[in-house]
Amino acid sequence: MVIELVDLVVILFFGGVGYYLFSATRVRELAIQAVRRASRDGDFQFLDDSVALQRVSLSRDSGGRWRLWRQYRFEYSYDGMQRETGAVIMLGKRLQALVVTEPGQVLH
């Protein structure tokens, strides 16, 4: 059996897509875990127990290596009535920032 160049390119393409999807799922789970920890420590309720991908780009880490930078948004509440929107930023598999407002503070 002879593998032609086109077949090899197709296999590598689908392998790359599969790897990206697997990696993206793992990073999303790490982002959810980070928000859960912050909700316990910050005394707010993590609503819907999910995050939604908002932005993706390339950025360098502290070692100078290129990593995928992902920003996820999530909803939370301090009082259980009013929903607020927060953000969690991941660089590769590492948490970079988690953004929530203080109770009663209004951001413009």
Side-chain angles (χ1 to χ4, degrees):
M1 179 173 182
V2 176
I3 296 179
E4 294 183 19
L5 183 60
V6 173
D7 296 333
L8 184 61
V9 168
V10 169
I11 290 170
L12 289 174
F13 174 76
F14 283 112
V17 169
Y19 177 76
Y20 171 77
L21 292 175
F22 177 76
S23 174
T25 302
R26 178 67 182 138
V27 172
R28 183 177 176 274
E29 289 299 319
L30 291 171
I32 289 172
Q33 289 175 7
V35 177
R36 283 183 188 145
R37 279 192 308 272
S39 70
R40 282 192 309 265
D41 298 340
D43 198 28
F44 61 87
Q45 183 181 9
F46 179 31
L47 302 175
D48 303 329
D49 206 35
S50 68
V51 296
L53 185 63
Q54 195 168 17
R55 293 183 184 147
V56 177
S57 69
L58 286 174
S59 184
R60 291 186 187 263
D61 64 9
S62 59
R65 292 177 296 269
W66 287 103
R67 301 280 186 219
L68 277 177
W69 178 93
R70 295 175 175 101
Q71 179 177 340
Y72 297 92
R73 68 176 171 79
F74 63 94
E75 292 187 340
Y76 65 98
S77 177
Y78 283 105
D79 59 6
M81 299 289 287
Q82 186 171 350
R83 287 181 174 256
E84 304 288 341
T85 301
V88 59
I89 298 171
M90 305 289 290
L91 183 59
K93 293 182 181 178
R94 295 193 172 190
L95 175 67
Q96 292 295 297
L98 198 138
V99 181
V100 294
T101 59
E102 293 294 322
Q105 181 179 1
V106 177
L107 294 179
H108 295 279

